[in-house]
Amino acid sequence: MESNILMTKLNKINFAVSIDTLLDNLKADSGGDRDVNFLKFLIDNNLLLHEEVILKKTITDFSESYFKKKYTKSNSESTRHYLCRALIQEEFKLLGINTSNWVEAGNINILRSNSNYDIAAEDLSFIADVGLTPARNFFRGLTDLRVKFYLVTNYFDDYMDDIIFEVFKRGDDNRFIDAVRDYEEGYKLYTTISEENLMNL
C-alpha cells in the first residue's frame, strides 16, 4: 500500500499551530462555517485524528521549467500552487509512490457533493491538498474506506528544507462514517424544512 511507504518517510513533530489557526490559514471556511464546525466536532471527539509531520525536500531546482515536462499545469492553477503541487508529486515519485492529480474521492452514498483533491496515490490509500482548502475536503475523501490518510499543506518556498503536512485519519471507521452520515441526514432534514417554510411565506 502506497500510504505505508509514505508514512515511513514522514517524521512527526510537535504542532506548530493550533487547529483554528490552521483552518484560518487555509481559508477552510470558504465552503461555509457549518462544515468548519463539523470538522472541529470530528477532531474534538477523536473521530478524526490529526498529527503534524515533515517530509525532507530533496529537490533543489524549484522552477516551472523543471516540472513542466512531467506535470501539466491547469488553466485555473496559479504558478505558486503548481510549483508546490508538482514538487510534492515528484518527491513522492522519488519514494516510489505513483500519484495522480485532480482526483475525486469520497463515498457519494454517505456524503453528497464533490470533493476534488490535488494529489492522490494511485491506489487511493492517501489523498492530499495544497494551499487554500475548504473544510469539507478534510473529511469527505475519508468516507471512502480505501483512503487511509488525508494530507494538507500550505504553500511553501524554495528556501525551506522541509514540507510540513497536517495528516488526518479516521479514529474509528464505523463511528466516523456514522457521524458523517448523520451530518448529511441532518442537512437534508434542515433543507427540507427550510424549503417548506419558504413555500408557506
Side-chain angles (χ1 to χ4, degrees):
M1 190 174 289
E2 289 175 317
S3 62
N4 293 340
I5 299 172
L6 178 60
M7 292 304 138
T8 63
K9 302 298 182 180
L10 300 176
N11 297 312
K12 186 177 179 180
I13 59 173
N14 293 327
F15 290 112
V17 297
S18 68
I19 190 67
D20 287 330
T21 301
L22 170 68
L23 297 180
D24 285 343
N25 290 343
L26 296 175
K27 307 296 183 188
D29 61 354
S30 61
D33 289 337
R34 188 172 182 274
D35 281 352
V36 173
N37 292 333
F38 180 63
L39 172 58
K40 291 179 180 179
F41 166 81
L42 293 173
I43 295 170
D44 290 344
N45 289 276
N46 295 321
L47 298 172
L48 194 62
L49 305 181
H50 167 220
E51 60 183 21
E52 195 164 272
V53 300
I54 59 172
L55 175 68
K56 286 286 183 184
K57 276 169 50 184
T58 62
I59 300 168
T60 57
D61 191 345
F62 198 75
S63 63
E64 192 168 350
S65 60
Y66 178 85
F67 295 115
K68 66 181 181 181
K69 293 181 181 178
K70 296 182 179 181
Y71 303 101
T72 302
K73 180 181 177 183
S74 80
N75 293 332
S76 61
E77 191 173 18
S78 70
T79 298
R80 190 180 189 193
H81 185 279
Y82 170 73
L83 289 175
C84 292
R85 192 255 305 166
L87 185 141
I88 290 170
Q89 287 189 263
E90 186 67 4
E91 291 283 7
F92 288 170
K93 185 176 181 180
L94 294 175
L95 296 176
I97 299 170
N98 295 318
T99 60
S100 301
N101 51 287
W102 320 131
V103 174
E104 289 285 339
N107 189 334
I108 196 68
N109 295 316
I110 296 172
L111 187 61
R112 294 179 301 175
S113 80
N114 297 324
S115 288
N116 189 286
Y117 292 89
D118 292 333
I119 301 169
E122 196 172 65
D123 64 0
L124 209 63
S125 59
F126 72 83
I127 50 180
D129 280 319
V130 180
L132 307 183
T133 304
R136 182 162 290 216
N137 272 36
F138 286 68
F139 54 87
R140 187 185 188 280
L142 287 166
T143 60
D144 184 336
L145 295 182
R146 292 175 297 173
V147 179
K148 305 303 180 186
F149 300 96
Y150 169 65
L151 293 81
V152 62
T153 184
N154 214 332
Y155 299 122
F156 49 86
D157 296 303
D158 56 354
Y159 63 82
M160 299 172 69
D161 295 327
D162 304 316
I163 303 170
I164 300 175
F165 288 104
E166 310 297 327
V167 180
F168 296 84
K169 65 179 180 179
R170 295 177 297 272
D172 177 89
D173 287 356
N174 293 330
R175 292 177 63 226
F176 173 84
I177 294 298
D178 286 345
V180 178
R181 184 180 284 115
D182 288 345
Y183 177 65
E184 173 73 354
E185 291 301 321
Y187 179 75
K188 290 178 184 176
L189 177 64
Y190 174 81
T191 302
T192 302
I193 293 173
S194 297
E195 289 174 350
E196 289 176 353
N197 289 339
L198 285 172
M199 290 176 67
N200 293 328
L201 289 178

